[in-house]
Amino acid sequence: MAILEAAHLAKRFGPVTAVHDLSLTVGEGEVAGLLGPNGAGKSTTLHMLLGLITPDAGTITMFGMELARHRIEVLSRVNFAASYVDLPGPLLVQEVLDAFARLYAVRRPAARVAEMIELLELGPLRRRRVMDLSSGQRTRVQLAKALVNAPQLLVLDEPTANLDPDAGDRIRGLLSRVARESGSAMLITSHNMREVERMCDRIHFMAEGRVVAAGSAEELAGRYGAEDLEEVFLKVARG
Ligand SMILES: Nc1ncnc2c1ncn2[C@@H]1O[C@H](COP(=O)(O)OP(=O)(O)OP(=O)(O)O)[C@@H](O)[C@H]1O
Ligand SMILES: [Mg+2]
């Protein structure tokens, strides 16, 4: 069964058509990638899927329910992380996670938060204010928040953009493990082609608001006569 089905989405901002007739499907347990050049419409697409902005056209169905009609029920089973979303700065890491666990009405919130602190190696940062953290540390708090409700669909907008190579590698491993063990579906944007090759079962390439190619990294490389995803990206982006 498809966890997410977006059909014919469109979004304009004044004269800018950010997304144009975009359709994509994410299956149960699938890690899907959304790639494309700066300004292609990736974040806009994610924001529509998260109900943060309303599409001008098209439908979004998750878990067999239409987002527009079952917003609260659908969104309680989804979560999101992005480096540009600010967590409440004056709160302690522990307080932020407690607050989100309560917001999502997580069962046994204290135990779940403790689990997330362990998983993201946040123990030493528990009593630190979010605003005092480095951007890489904040990313780990964002991911702990994003996993706290054990989402069936996890949406990640450039999850490793601020991380050093070691931290990035560990987070990629962790997310792949979570996907495998919990069966959570994920939809990830990234400009790191090796990350996408390693993590994503299926990749949707966007250009100018549309999905122009989709498939596994190997399928796409084959189709475009490319060595790897980096070369596919350059070929697609340069038309
Ligand atoms: N709130 C907004 N108001 C006006 N234009 C917007 C708004 N949000 C996005 N856009 C425009 O829509 C287009 C798509 O932007 P979007 O952020 O979705 O791209 P992206 O694929 O996520 O790019 P990047 O890789 O740089 O993150 C861009 O031209 C952008 O300027
Ligand atoms: Mg973006």
Side-chain angles (χ1 to χ4, degrees), residues 38-39 41-44 47 84 157-158 189 191:
N38 294 136
K42 303 179 297 295
S43 296
T44 303
H47 297 163
Y84 51 78
D157 201 353
E158 303 190 38
T189 77
H191 292 299

Side-chain angles (χ1 to χ4, degrees), residues 30-48:
E30 184 176 87
V31 179
L34 195 56
L35 301 191
N38 294 136
K42 303 179 297 295
S43 296
T44 303
T45 299
L46 298 189
H47 297 163
M48 288 192 280

Side-chain angles (χ1 to χ4, degrees), residues 211-234:
V211 173
V212 294
S216 69
E218 297 76 35
E219 283 164 5
L220 289 170
R223 202 176 311 158
Y224 284 86
E227 285 270 307
D228 54 19
L229 203 56
E230 180 111 13
E231 202 183 322
V232 174
F233 189 104
L234 296 178

Side-chain angles (χ1 to χ4, degrees), residues 94-138:
Q94 172 89 48
E95 292 171 333
V96 167
L97 296 178
D98 286 341
F100 277 100
R102 263 178 273 136
L103 267 177
Y104 279 98
V106 166
R107 249 183 297 149
R108 305 201 307 124
R112 182 66 184 168
V113 167
E115 229 178 286
M116 293 302 100
I117 285 174
E118 171 93 26
L119 187 69
L120 277 301
E121 299 173 32
L122 290 169
L125 302 178
R126 273 180 49 226
R127 313 292 313 161
R128 299 268 295 274
R129 289 188 306 182
V130 167
M131 62 200 275
D132 298 334
L133 300 178
S134 79
S135 57
Q137 291 169 337
R138 234 174 275 190

